[in-house]
Amino acid sequence: MSVGEMLAATVPMVRTLNLEFVETGPEKVVVALPDQGEFHNHVGGPHAGAMFTLAESASGAVVLAAFGDQLSRAVPLAVNAEIAYRKLAMGPVTATATLGRPASEVVAQLDAGERPEFPVTIEIRRADGAITGEMTVVWTLRPNG
């Protein structure tokens, strides 16, 4: 099962927004939000909440892609998130999430008995390539037990 299929199966908001996982790798993930009238705001573009969910979902996908092999001993959890809306978003948008630290460093902290925290940065873009939003989500791997 791919990361996108796993998220669609376990996270209802992914299905609700019809998010499309375009690229899923351990360092970068691209997720698309189709243009859907039921998720528009007052000016006809994607609602801020839909864009937040798009970006947060992309961040979660890159965490799963990077640390899926650690799930037997730790659970990934979002610690905090900050988003900035830069330009008007209209039509379909994509979120590109990038792991902010090498996965090996995070796993080394987990191996040392620590609870690592690490950032994931996300850019939200319109079809013309303009950046409409930027988000950072800080994640942790909470050891089981």
Side-chain angles (χ1 to χ4, degrees):
M1 179 181 294
S2 73
V3 170
E5 291 168 337
M6 184 185 325
L7 283 170
T10 59
V11 181
M13 280 301 293
V14 169
R15 293 189 309 274
T16 297
L17 291 177
N18 300 304
L19 299 183
E20 300 167 0
F21 292 81
V22 178
E23 178 184 339
T24 53
E27 295 174 0
K28 182 176 106 175
V29 165
V30 180
V31 182
L33 173 66
D35 187 23
Q36 302 164 89
E38 61 269 32
F39 304 118
H40 281 177
N41 58 20
H42 62 289
V43 293
H47 188 278
M51 288 191 293
F52 183 99
T53 301
L54 166 70
E56 195 277 340
S57 297
S59 78
V62 80
V63 169
L64 283 177
F67 303 109
D69 60 343
Q70 303 298 317
L71 296 180
S72 63
R73 66 181 185 143
V75 62
L77 297 170
V79 175
N80 64 53
E82 184 174 316
I83 192 165
Y85 301 101
R86 302 286 184 208
K87 290 186 178 185
L88 184 61
M90 297 297 281
V93 290
T94 58
T96 302
T98 307
L99 201 58
R101 283 179 57 202
S104 59
E105 285 182 10
V106 175
V107 172
Q109 277 190 276
L110 194 60
D111 290 342
E114 299 173 24
R115 181 175 169 167
E117 288 190 1
F118 53 94
V120 174
T121 57
I122 307 100
E123 289 183 341
I124 303 168
R125 294 180 183 270
R126 298 186 303 226
D128 68 2
I131 295 174
T132 63
E134 296 172 310
M135 184 175 188
T136 300
V137 181
V138 176
W139 286 83
T140 189
L141 295 180
R142 188 191 73 202
N144 297 334

